Amino acid sequence: MSEETALWRSDRARAFVPELIPEPQDLDRSGPLNAREQQDLDRVHAARDHHRAAKWMRGKALEAAFRRRLFRGEDGTRSRQQYLDEEWDGLSESAAYREIGEWRLAKEITDACERPAPDSHVRALLDVAGAQGHKQVAHWYAELRRHGQQTGRRVTADAVANLADFLRTGTEPERLEPLFAPRQLPPAIPDVPAPAKPGGTRRTERGTEPVTDTVVSSGQAGSFPNLGMSDGSASPAGEAWTLSQDHIARLSAWIAAGASTAGIAPELAADVLVEALTADNFQRWIAPRIWT
């Protein structure tokens, strides 16, 4: 048995502990790594993978605490957020549900690749995994990484996004090389005319003929809800607009159905939806649908 093999087996036989990480120090060396240096490098990589693997373990631990209702504490009154504040350094519920939604796929990828994947890669594949199964998606991610290693190609965010797009079609890729092609940039969003104020006019271009539309005044200024708008506009009489019970019921059912399809918690799906609605691009999306 070679010295290198003996060192490798001795490391594999015991669990990773911080003491295995070599001490940082300046060494003036060159040439190929010797057996001892290769072991040091393997331990550096083990620390890297241990950190990433601990991430999916966090998600599993959080889900166990939530689903078993262990968060309620000794007196039975502690809420989830109070538990997170006290035991998880103030982690928000939305962030906790995000980790809960990701851990199964992250674990399957770790098992398939024998090393964890970056968080961004897991998130890019999460909705596909919810529809097609975590093990299947992890298998194709592992194949993508192996192909990259064999051909000297980096598995970039674009490559993972291309894989996700392909798997969404419900078919398996026959060749992996095309997935490494750069993604096409989306077409530029045309400038959207600012919405006309009540009682004013709005000019738009339809074909080559300018059209002037008269907007009927409602007698109220700023009648739209403030969904994270930077101008801080408010509803009439300074009162915050809220969804009706019918809106809430319809949205709740829709979010629950989408979350079930994606294999994530409804709370996480709702958080993602709120983030999308409060982003700047939502205003650019909704304006042409309201004023044209």
Side-chain angles (χ1 to χ4, degrees):
M1 182 186 301
S2 67
E3 180 186 3
E4 182 177 355
T5 301
L7 291 170
W8 178 80
R9 287 188 177 180
S10 65
D11 268 2
R12 296 279 291 184
R14 54 180 167 171
F16 176 82
V17 292
E19 287 74 21
L20 290 177
I21 304 174
E23 289 297 324
Q25 55 182 308
D26 294 327
L27 298 176
D28 186 14
R29 294 177 179 174
S30 60
L33 298 180
N34 60 34
R36 177 63 64 179
E37 288 174 323
Q38 184 61 54
Q39 184 194 44
D40 287 342
L41 182 61
D42 290 342
R43 289 175 172 179
V44 168
H45 293 167
R48 173 204 63 198
D49 294 344
H50 181 78
H51 168 75
R52 289 180 179 171
K55 184 68 180 295
W56 72 253
M57 294 180 194
R58 271 174 54 102
K60 183 177 182 180
L62 282 164
E63 184 171 10
F66 280 18
R67 296 184 65 177
R68 292 172 176 267
R69 297 187 61 80
L70 302 175
F71 60 83
R72 66 189 190 278
E74 295 180 359
D75 62 359
T77 64
R78 188 166 61 177
S79 68
R80 287 182 178 85
Q81 189 56 64
Q82 288 172 333
Y83 165 69
L84 294 173
D85 288 341
E86 295 173 9
E87 303 292 348
W88 292 83
D89 300 324
L91 183 72
S92 68
E93 280 195 64
S94 61
Y97 278 113
R98 185 174 292 111
E99 291 191 33
I100 290 171
E102 294 171 2
W103 80 261
R104 286 180 175 82
L105 178 58
K107 179 183 183 301
E108 290 292 346
I109 288 177
T110 300
D111 293 343
C113 297
E114 298 184 348
R115 60 176 293 189
D119 292 345
S120 59
H121 290 190
V122 174
R123 290 167 187 160
L125 296 167
L126 198 58
D127 65 317
V128 189
Q132 299 189 15
H134 298 94
K135 189 176 294 292
Q136 177 75 356
V137 172
H139 162 75
W140 281 109
Y141 178 79
E143 289 297 311
L144 186 71
R145 293 204 70 92
R146 292 190 187 100
H147 184 82
Q149 291 173 354
Q150 292 169 0
T151 59
R153 308 292 297 274
R154 291 182 61 241
V155 179
T156 63
D158 277 358
V160 178
N162 287 336
L163 174 63
D165 288 345
F166 204 103
L167 293 177
R168 286 189 189 98
T169 65
T171 58
E172 298 178 349
E174 296 180 359
R175 297 175 56 245
L176 295 176
E177 187 63 27
L179 300 180
F180 289 87
R183 290 172 67 79
Q184 296 292 327
L185 292 176
I189 301 176
D191 291 334
V192 176
K197 294 182 179 180
T201 61
R202 175 178 60 87
R203 293 182 64 84
T204 61
E205 297 291 337
R206 295 175 183 165
T208 57
E209 296 296 326
V211 179
T212 302
D213 296 332
T214 300
V215 180
V216 179
S217 172
S218 64
Q220 300 284 357
S223 57
F224 292 95
N226 178 15
L227 296 177
M229 297 180 182
S230 57
D231 60 3
S233 57
S235 58
E239 297 179 359
W241 179 87
T242 59
L243 293 169
S244 68
Q245 290 300 317
D246 179 62
H247 285 149
I248 293 173
R250 289 163 60 192
L251 279 173
S252 296
W254 178 67
I255 291 170
S260 177
T261 301
I264 62 176
E267 291 83 354
L268 172 57
D271 184 62
V272 172
L273 176 62
V274 170
E275 289 180 0
L277 290 176
T278 55
D280 292 340
N281 59 353
F282 174 72
Q283 298 174 49
R284 303 187 71 179
W285 174 87
I286 198 172
R289 290 160 174 77
I290 296 296
W291 297 102
T292 58

